[in-house]
Coordinates of all heavy atoms in Angstrom, one line a residue:
L1 N 0.8 -1.2 0.0 CA 0.0 0.0 0.0 C 0.9 1.2 0.0 O 1.8 1.4 0.8 CB -0.9 0.0 1.2 CG -1.8 -1.2 1.4 CD1 -2.6 -1.1 2.7 CD2 -2.7 -1.4 0.2
R2 N 0.5 2.2 -0.9 CA 1.3 3.4 -1.0 C 0.4 4.6 -1.1 O -0.8 4.5 -1.6 CB 2.2 3.4 -2.2 CG 3.3 2.3 -2.1 CD 4.3 2.3 -3.3 NE 5.2 1.2 -3.1 CZ 6.4 1.3 -2.5 NH1 6.7 2.5 -1.9 NH2 7.2 0.3 -2.4
D3 N 0.9 5.8 -0.7 CA 0.1 7.0 -0.8 C 0.2 7.6 -2.1 O 0.8 7.1 -3.1 CB 0.4 8.0 0.3 CG 1.9 8.3 0.3 OD1 2.6 8.1 -0.8 OD2 2.4 8.9 1.2
R4 N -0.4 8.8 -2.3 CA -0.4 9.5 -3.6 C 1.0 9.9 -4.0 O 1.2 10.3 -5.2 CB -1.3 10.6 -3.6 CG -1.0 11.7 -2.6 CD -2.2 12.7 -2.6 NE -2.0 13.8 -1.6 CZ -1.4 15.0 -2.0 NH1 -1.1 15.2 -3.2 NH2 -1.2 15.9 -1.1
F5 N 2.0 10.0 -3.1 CA 3.3 10.4 -3.4 C 4.2 9.1 -3.7 O 5.4 9.3 -3.9 CB 3.9 11.2 -2.3 CG 3.2 12.5 -2.0 CD1 2.4 12.6 -0.9 CD2 3.3 13.6 -2.9 CE1 1.7 13.8 -0.7 CE2 2.7 14.7 -2.7 CZ 1.9 14.9 -1.6
G6 N 3.6 7.9 -3.6 CA 4.4 6.7 -3.8 C 5.1 6.2 -2.6 O 5.9 5.2 -2.7
R7 N 4.9 6.8 -1.5 CA 5.5 6.3 -0.2 C 4.7 5.2 0.4 O 3.5 5.2 0.3 CB 5.6 7.5 0.8 CG 6.5 8.6 0.3 CD 6.5 9.8 1.2 NE 5.1 10.3 1.4 CZ 4.8 11.5 2.0 NH1 5.8 12.2 2.5 NH2 3.6 11.9 2.0
R8 N 5.4 4.3 1.0 CA 4.7 3.1 1.6 C 3.9 3.6 2.8 O 4.4 4.3 3.7 CB 5.8 2.1 2.0 CG 5.2 0.7 2.4 CD 6.3 -0.2 2.9 NE 7.3 -0.4 1.9 CZ 7.3 -1.2 0.8 NH1 6.2 -2.0 0.7 NH2 8.3 -1.3 0.0
R9 N 2.7 3.1 2.9 CA 1.8 3.5 4.0 C 2.1 2.6 5.2 O 2.3 1.4 5.1 CB 0.4 3.3 3.5 CG -0.1 4.3 2.5 CD -1.6 4.1 2.2 NE -2.3 4.6 3.4 CZ -3.7 4.4 3.5 NH1 -4.4 3.9 2.5 NH2 -4.3 4.8 4.7
R10 N 2.1 3.2 6.3 CA 2.4 2.5 7.6 C 1.3 2.8 8.6 O 0.8 4.0 8.7 CB 3.7 2.9 8.2 CG 4.9 2.6 7.3 CD 6.2 3.2 7.8 NE 7.3 2.9 6.9 CZ 8.4 2.3 7.2 NH1 8.5 1.8 8.4 NH2 9.3 2.1 6.4
P11 N 0.8 1.8 9.3 CA -0.3 2.1 10.3 C 0.2 2.9 11.4 O 1.4 2.8 11.9 CB -0.7 0.7 10.7 CG 0.5 -0.2 10.5 CD 1.2 0.4 9.3
L12 N -0.7 3.8 12.0 CA -0.3 4.6 13.1 C -0.3 3.7 14.4 O -1.2 2.8 14.5 CB -1.3 5.7 13.3 CG -1.3 6.8 12.3 CD1 -2.5 7.8 12.6 CD2 0.0 7.5 12.2
S13 N 0.6 3.9 15.2 CA 0.7 3.2 16.5 C -0.3 3.8 17.5 O -0.8 4.9 17.2 CB 2.1 3.2 17.1 OG 2.5 4.6 17.4
A14 N -0.5 3.1 18.6 CA -1.4 3.7 19.6 C -0.9 5.0 20.2 O -1.6 5.9 20.5 CB -1.6 2.6 20.7
S15 N 0.5 5.1 20.3 CA 1.1 6.3 20.8 C 0.8 7.5 19.8 O 0.5 8.6 20.3 CB 2.6 6.1 21.0 OG 3.2 7.3 21.4
S16 N 0.9 7.2 18.5 CA 0.6 8.3 17.5 C -0.8 8.7 17.6 O -1.1 9.9 17.4 CB 1.0 7.8 16.1 OG 2.4 7.5 16.1
I17 N -1.7 7.8 17.7 CA -3.1 8.1 17.8 C -3.4 8.9 19.0 O -4.2 9.9 19.0 CB -4.0 6.9 17.7 CG1 -3.8 6.2 16.4 CG2 -5.5 7.2 18.0 CD1 -4.5 4.8 16.3
R18 N -2.8 8.6 20.1 CA -3.0 9.4 21.4 C -2.5 10.8 21.2 O -3.0 11.8 21.7 CB -2.3 8.7 22.5 CG -2.5 9.4 23.9 CD -1.9 8.6 25.0 NE -0.4 8.7 24.9 CZ 0.4 8.1 25.9 NH1 -0.2 7.5 26.9 NH2 1.7 8.2 25.8
K19 N -1.3 11.0 20.4 CA -0.8 12.3 20.2 C -1.8 13.1 19.3 O -2.0 14.3 19.5 CB 0.5 12.2 19.5 CG 1.6 11.7 20.4 CD 2.9 11.5 19.7 CE 4.0 10.9 20.6 NZ 5.3 10.7 19.9
L20 N -2.4 12.5 18.4 CA -3.4 13.2 17.6 C -4.6 13.7 18.4 O -5.0 14.8 18.3 CB -4.0 12.2 16.5 CG -3.1 12.0 15.2 CD1 -3.8 11.0 14.3 CD2 -2.9 13.3 14.5
I21 N -5.0 12.8 19.3 CA -6.1 13.2 20.2 C -5.7 14.3 21.2 O -6.5 15.2 21.5 CB -6.6 12.0 21.0 CG1 -7.3 11.0 20.0 CG2 -7.7 12.4 22.1 CD1 -7.7 9.7 20.7
D22 N -4.4 14.3 21.6 CA -3.9 15.4 22.4 C -3.9 16.7 21.7 O -4.2 17.8 22.3 CB -2.5 15.0 22.9 CG -2.5 13.9 23.9 OD1 -3.5 13.6 24.5 OD2 -1.4 13.3 24.1
V23 N -3.6 16.7 20.4 CA -3.6 17.9 19.6 C -5.0 18.4 19.5 O -5.3 19.6 19.6 CB -2.9 17.7 18.2 CG1 -3.1 18.9 17.3 CG2 -1.5 17.4 18.4
L24 N -6.0 17.5 19.2 CA -7.4 17.9 19.1 C -7.8 18.5 20.4 O -8.6 19.5 20.4 CB -8.2 16.7 18.7 CG -9.7 16.8 18.7 CD1 -10.1 17.9 17.6 CD2 -10.4 15.5 18.4
A25 N -7.5 17.9 21.5 CA -7.9 18.4 22.8 C -7.3 19.8 23.1 O -8.0 20.7 23.7 CB -7.5 17.5 23.9
A26 N -6.1 20.0 22.6 CA -5.4 21.3 22.8 C -6.2 22.4 22.0 O -6.4 23.5 22.5 CB -4.0 21.3 22.4
V27 N -6.6 22.0 20.8 CA -7.3 23.0 20.0 C -8.7 23.3 20.6 O -9.1 24.5 20.7 CB -7.6 22.4 18.5 CG1 -8.5 23.3 17.7 CG2 -6.2 22.2 17.8
L28 N -9.4 22.3 21.1 CA -10.7 22.6 21.7 C -10.5 23.3 23.1 O -11.5 23.9 23.5 CB -11.4 21.3 21.9 CG -11.8 20.6 20.5 CD1 -12.6 19.3 20.8 CD2 -12.5 21.5 19.6
D29 N -9.4 23.2 23.7 CA -9.1 23.9 24.9 C -9.2 25.4 24.6 O -9.8 26.2 25.4 CB -7.8 23.6 25.6 CG -7.8 22.3 26.4 OD1 -8.9 21.9 26.8 OD2 -6.8 21.7 26.6
D30 N -8.6 25.8 23.5 CA -8.7 27.2 23.1 C -10.1 27.6 22.8 O -10.6 28.8 23.0 CB -7.8 27.5 21.9 CG -6.3 27.4 22.3 OD1 -6.0 27.5 23.5 OD2 -5.5 27.2 21.3
A31 N -10.9 26.7 22.2 CA -12.3 27.0 21.8 C -13.1 27.2 23.1 O -14.0 28.1 23.2 CB -12.9 25.8 21.0

């Protein structure tokens, strides 16, 4: 599996998903 740039796609780890949620929470803190 590759993305539109031809790079191999890799699944996100649980740690990366947690970081995404932390960023979302920081944005909504400002809201």
Side-chain angles (χ1 to χ4, degrees):
L1 304 177
R2 297 183 180 271
D3 59 12
R4 59 190 182 92
F5 298 105
R7 297 173 299 191
R8 192 182 304 276
R9 295 187 63 186
R10 298 175 183 236
L12 291 177
S13 64
S15 176
S16 298
I17 295 176
R18 186 176 67 177
K19 291 176 182 177
L20 283 177
I21 295 176
D22 289 342
V23 172
L24 175 61
V27 172
L28 296 182
D29 280 338
D30 291 341

